[in-house]
Amino acid sequence: MTVQGAARVQVSNHQYVLLDTDAEEPGQDIDGTLAGNGLVSTNAESTYATVLTGTSYGHVDIAFDVTAYPAPP
């Protein structure tokens, strides 16, 4: 099953962060990165992703798909 959606997110310092509200303990440091491609990186637990943008500050519109299975490589 795939759920598709769209959102407007706040950009700060050329980036925005996507995370599950239950992914990190309150006040927990989320600076450690595990993997990335230069535009998107994840933390060691893969519970959040940082996305770099060409916009330094403001808003960007995003589209997303939520699936029950991992995306193919």
Side-chain angles (χ1 to χ4, degrees):
M1 178 169 112
T2 300
V3 177
Q4 296 179 323
R8 177 168 279 206
V9 297
Q10 178 71 38
V11 174
S12 179
N13 295 311
H14 292 278
Q15 64 186 349
Y16 61 91
V17 177
L18 302 173
L19 63 114
D20 183 337
T21 56
D22 297 325
E24 306 288 341
E25 293 293 326
Q28 182 176 349
D29 183 19
I30 57 173
D31 288 334
T33 58
L34 171 68
N37 64 7
L39 295 176
V40 179
S41 61
T42 63
N43 67 334
E45 293 80 22
S46 295
T47 55
Y48 83 91
T50 300
V51 182
L52 299 180
T53 72
T55 301
S56 57
Y57 293 94
H59 293 91
V60 294
D61 295 321
I62 62 170
F64 59 88
D65 296 338
V66 178
T67 63
Y69 51 86

